[in-house]
Amino acid sequence: MPKLDLIASEKLSPALKDTIESAPLPGLEDAPKCPDTRAAIERLLNERSAEFSPPSPSAAAGLWLLAGELDLSHDISQTLESPTGSYWHGIMHRRERDFNNAKYWMRRAAGHPVIEELANHIDNVAGQDA
């Protein structure tokens, strides 16, 4: 996975940032799951210390997508009644190529800050190619 440059990675714990950056890019549909990433995520979700609190349920939904665990991500995202939950739910359905369902959930995520940030990033990259 490339270095995190689209989000405020300085707000992530070193362990979480390392887990994300060291994970292989996930595939679509029934792509192989990544047992190493899954094990790292399980450790993060169970870790509690004065310096670290486990990721939120919405972050866990995204982390499970990273590990290729679509069902685990779906179980979480479908319970989150927020734009972030809708965003992860939409990504999960896009990964499994359920395009109509993905569009529905992305419409519910409209206005989420990550969508604007991704659009700006795409515009910047497209401008560099011109």
Side-chain angles (χ1 to χ4, degrees), residues 1-22 44 47 51-56 58-60 62-63 66 88 117:
M1 181 72 94
K3 295 283 184 201
L4 296 175
D5 64 352
L6 293 178
I7 62 173
S9 60
E10 69 278 355
K11 294 182 181 180
L12 301 177
S13 74
L16 181 55
K17 185 176 178 184
D18 183 57
T19 297
I20 294 168
E21 290 182 342
S22 65
L44 287 170
E47 183 177 334
E51 303 84 36
F52 181 79
S53 57
S56 67
S58 57
L63 289 169
L66 182 63
W88 288 129
E117 193 166 341

Side-chain angles (χ1 to χ4, degrees), residues 15-79:
L16 181 55
K17 185 176 178 184
D18 183 57
T19 297
I20 294 168
E21 290 182 342
S22 65
L25 288 174
L28 295 174
E29 293 181 344
D30 290 330
K33 296 175 181 171
C34 183
D36 292 339
T37 302
R38 180 186 172 118
I41 291 167
E42 286 174 337
R43 281 191 303 276
L44 287 170
L45 293 176
N46 292 317
E47 183 177 334
R48 288 177 185 6
S49 69
E51 303 84 36
F52 181 79
S53 57
S56 67
S58 57
L63 289 169
W64 287 129
L65 286 174
L66 182 63
E69 298 287 349
L70 302 186
D71 290 337
L72 290 172
S73 177
H74 189 257
D75 289 348
I76 296 169
S77 66
Q78 71 181 353
T79 68

Side-chain angles (χ1 to χ4, degrees), residues 2 16 19-20 28 32 84 86 92 98 108 116 126:
L16 181 55
T19 297
I20 294 168
L28 295 174
T84 301
S86 295
M92 190 284 308
D98 182 353
R108 291 191 58 168
E116 183 176 334

Side-chain angles (χ1 to χ4, degrees), residues 65-115:
L65 286 174
L66 182 63
E69 298 287 349
L70 302 186
D71 290 337
L72 290 172
S73 177
H74 189 257
D75 289 348
I76 296 169
S77 66
Q78 71 181 353
T79 68
L80 302 174
E81 295 188 23
S82 67
T84 301
S86 295
Y87 176 78
W88 288 129
H89 203 153
I91 294 293
M92 190 284 308
H93 283 297
R94 175 61 184 88
R95 292 261 315 266
E96 66 180 8
R97 297 179 190 250
D98 182 353
F99 301 119
N100 287 332
N101 212 346
K103 286 193 289 188
Y104 169 81
W105 287 103
M106 285 303 181
R107 281 193 300 273
R108 291 191 58 168
H112 192 285
V114 76
I115 294 172

